[in-house]
Amino acid sequence: MVEVLKNAWKLPDLRKKILYTLLIILVFRVGSAIFVPFLDPVAVQGLLVGSEDNLLGFMNTMTGGALGSATLFALSIMPFINASIIMQLLTVAIPALERLSKEGDEGRKKINKITKFLALGIGVFQAVAFYITLRNNHAVMHTEGFEGFLAMITIVGCFTAGASLIIWLGDQISDKGIGNGISIILFAGIVSRLPLDIYGLIQEMQVRENGSYANYIFVPLYLLLYVAMIGFVVLMTNAERRIPVQYAKRVVGRKMYGGQSSHIPIKVAMAGVMPIIFAMSIMSLPQTILFFFGITEPGPGFWGTFLRYFNQTTAIYAIVYFFMIIGFNYFYISIQYNPIEIANNLKKNNGAIPGYRPGKPTSDFIYNSLSKITLIGAMFLGFIAIFPIVFANITNIRSMAMGGTTLLIVVSVALETMRSLESQMMMRHHKGFLE
C-alpha cells in the first residue's frame, strides 16, 4: 500500500487528485466542527450519553462524532446511505426502475439523481426528528431562543444543508479525486474518532475503584486480536470463488471470435456491510424509540425489562443480531444476483461452464455455488458484528477503539481506494510501475 501511494505521488495528475481528495476531506472536517446556531453543544453531547447501543449512537459513530456535537455536518452521509438502500430495493420491486438501471451510464445517472432527491427528503425528516428530540430534552430546551420558529427553521435548515453539501463534496471526490467520494467521506468520519476512542480505552484500562483487577493485562491480547481481525477482514474481503467459463469459437466474416477461457468471480463478502446496517437498524429501532420518550435505563415495567434483557451487552441481543445478519445477507444477495439471468447471458455469448449444459443446469450450478458462498460470507459478517460484544463480555472492556462494523467499512474503503489507484496507474502503461 505504501509503495502504491509513493508511486502514485510521482505522477503529476494523480498527485493533483490525491491533494484534491485531501482538500475535500479537510473541508468535511472543518464543517464537522462548525456548531449549529441556537444549540448548546455541551447539552447535546450530554443528551447522547448512554445512547451508544441505539441508532443514534451508531449514527454518531458514522458521522465522526458530528451528531453528538450538533455541528453543521451532524447528519453526514447517513441520508444518502439510507436513500441508496431504499433505491436498491425499489429497483428490484419497480420494473420501470429496473429497466432504467440497465440503460447504461444514462440510466445510472438518472437513478443517482433520484437517489439524491430522496436523500434530501430523508435528510429533512431526520433533521426534524433530531430537532424534536433536542426540544423535548430539558437540558437543551431552556437554551435561550431555542423554542422559537426562527430557531427551528435555522436548525433544521443547517442540518439539511449540511447533508446536501456532503453529497456534493462526495461527488467532487468521485469526479476529480481518488476513489468513491461517499465512501471516502464515511472513511474520514470514522477514522477521525479513532484518537478519542483510544483515549476512552486508555481511561477504561485504569484500575477500578472497587478493587477489581486492572484491565492492563488485556492490552497485549487486545492489540493482537485487533491486528488479527484486520488481517481476517482483508482476507475475507478479497476472497472470491471463480467459476470457470469456456467460450466457443465462432467465425464472423473472415475473423474468428471466442475460444478463450474466463471465469465468473463470486466474492465471499459481496454484500459488504449492508446486511450489518440492515440488522443494526432493525435491532436498535426499539431502543431508539424508547430513547425519544426518555426511557434510557432499565427499570420496573415492561419497557424497563425489555432494556434490561435486550441491550447490546446481552447474549440474547448477540444471538438475534447474528441470525438477522445471516438472513439479511441472503436477502441482499438474492435481489442483487439472478442466476437465471447470468446463465442466459452466458448462453447468448456462446459461453458455458465446463461439465454443465447451457440453460437450467448452468443456472442451478450458479445458484448452488452462490448459496454456499453466501453462507460463508454471512457467517463472516455475523462474526465481525458480534465480536465486540463477545470481547466486551469476556474482558469487561466496553470501549473498543473500533467496532467490527466500522473496521469492516474502513478496511473495505481502503482496499477499494488502493485498487482505484492501481487501475489508474496501470492505464498509463508504466511497465513494472506497481512493483
Side-chain angles (χ1 to χ4, degrees):
M1 180 179 294
V2 176
E3 286 296 320
V4 173
L5 290 174
K6 185 188 301 183
N7 293 328
W9 189 260
K10 297 177 183 178
L11 295 173
D13 54 341
L14 283 184
R15 183 164 62 245
K16 290 180 181 178
K17 289 186 176 183
I18 294 174
L19 291 175
Y20 187 82
T21 302
L22 294 176
L23 176 63
I24 296 296
I25 293 176
L26 178 62
V27 173
F28 165 66
R29 292 310 304 159
V30 170
S32 299
I34 299 176
F35 298 113
V36 174
F38 299 104
L39 289 179
D40 184 359
V42 178
V44 175
Q45 200 163 13
L47 173 64
L48 292 184
V49 173
S51 66
E52 293 82 5
D53 298 338
N54 59 38
L55 190 59
L56 288 178
F58 175 71
M59 290 179 62
N60 191 40
T61 301
M62 295 293 104
T63 59
L67 182 67
S69 301
T71 61
L72 181 63
F73 291 158
L75 299 182
S76 190
I77 60 165
M78 296 306 296
F80 186 80
I81 291 178
N82 295 331
S84 299
I85 294 173
I86 294 174
M87 284 301 298
Q88 287 178 349
L89 299 177
L90 292 180
T91 301
V92 179
I94 301 177
L97 290 177
E98 185 177 4
R99 290 193 299 268
L100 196 62
S101 65
K102 297 178 181 180
E103 292 181 1
D105 291 338
E106 290 299 322
R108 284 192 292 269
K109 288 180 181 178
K110 292 179 181 179
I111 289 181
N112 191 33
K113 189 175 182 180
I114 297 173
T115 304
K116 290 178 181 178
F117 281 110
L118 181 60
L120 179 62
I122 295 176
V124 173
F125 173 78
Q126 291 182 347
V128 172
F130 192 43
Y131 167 77
I132 294 175
T133 303
L134 296 176
R135 188 187 62 184
N136 293 336
N137 183 266
H138 294 288
V140 184
M141 185 176 62
H142 295 295
T143 303
E144 184 178 356
F146 182 75
E147 293 182 333
F149 178 77
L150 177 61
M152 181 189 71
I153 296 298
T154 302
I155 294 170
V156 173
C158 286
F159 286 154
T160 306
S164 301
L165 181 57
I166 281 187
I167 296 176
W168 182 82
L169 292 176
D171 288 340
Q172 298 307 303
I173 293 179
S174 300
D175 294 339
K176 304 175 184 178
I178 298 294
N180 182 278
I182 297 299
S183 299
I184 293 294
I185 290 179
L186 181 61
F187 174 89
I190 294 174
V191 172
S192 66
R193 279 188 60 88
L194 188 58
L196 185 62
D197 290 337
I198 293 177
Y199 176 76
L201 179 65
I202 294 174
Q203 291 294 106
E204 193 171 358
M205 291 295 182
Q206 303 295 330
V207 180
R208 299 179 181 274
E209 295 180 357
N210 57 10
S212 62
Y213 60 83
N215 280 328
Y216 286 110
I217 61 176
F218 289 105
V219 173
L221 175 63
Y222 177 82
L223 294 176
L224 288 175
L225 285 176
Y226 194 75
V227 173
M229 196 172 177
I230 293 176
F232 180 60
V233 170
V234 173
L235 175 65
M236 296 300 292
T237 302
N238 291 327
E240 63 181 19
R241 162 81 158 90
R242 296 181 177 181
I243 300 177
V245 177
Q246 182 68 40
Y247 290 94
K249 295 181 180 179
R250 57 193 178 95
V251 178
V252 179
R254 295 184 179 182
K255 294 183 179 181
M256 180 177 291
Y257 297 91
Q260 75 272 18
S261 299
S262 183
H263 64 270
I264 301 175
I266 302 179
K267 296 188 73 66
V268 173
M270 67 182 79
V273 76
M274 287 301 177
I276 299 180
I277 294 178
F278 283 164
M280 181 174 291
S281 300
I282 298 297
M283 293 291 291
S284 61
L285 188 59
Q287 293 173 321
T288 304
I289 294 175
L290 294 177
F291 178 80
F292 286 155
F293 288 98
I295 304 175
T296 58
E297 297 292 337
F302 173 79
W303 294 116
T305 305
F306 176 84
L307 287 178
R308 183 180 300 111
Y309 292 102
F310 204 78
N311 63 70
Q312 213 172 24
T313 61
T314 62
I316 297 176
Y317 182 96
I319 293 173
V320 176
Y321 188 29
F322 181 80
F323 283 104
M324 284 191 71
I325 291 174
I326 294 178
F328 278 120
N329 189 73
Y330 272 97
F331 170 75
Y332 189 81
I333 298 302
S334 66
I335 67 176
Q336 291 293 318
Y337 293 88
N338 188 350
I340 298 177
E341 184 177 354
I342 297 175
N344 291 335
N345 290 334
L346 285 176
K347 188 176 180 180
K348 290 178 182 178
N349 292 282
N350 294 321
I353 298 176
Y356 295 89
R357 291 179 298 171
K360 192 174 186 304
T362 299
S363 64
D364 290 342
F365 174 76
I366 295 175
Y367 175 80
N368 293 332
S369 301
L370 196 61
S371 299
K372 295 175 183 177
I373 297 299
T374 301
L375 178 61
I376 297 174
M379 298 291 288
F380 159 67
L381 293 177
F383 171 78
I384 289 297
I386 68 171
F387 175 78
I389 302 175
V390 176
F391 184 82
N393 286 325
I394 293 177
T395 63
N396 205 28
I397 300 175
R398 302 295 176 184
S399 299
M400 288 197 68
M402 193 175 291
T405 306
T406 53
L407 179 63
L408 180 61
I409 294 174
V410 168
V411 172
S412 300
V413 173
L415 293 175
E416 177 188 355
T417 305
M418 288 301 104
R419 283 194 291 265
S420 176
L421 270 176
E422 290 178 355
S423 63
Q424 294 192 41
M425 291 163 63
M426 289 293 292
M427 289 172 61
R428 286 154 179 82
H429 304 289
H430 286 273
K431 186 177 181 180
F433 200 73
L434 298 180
E435 299 176 357

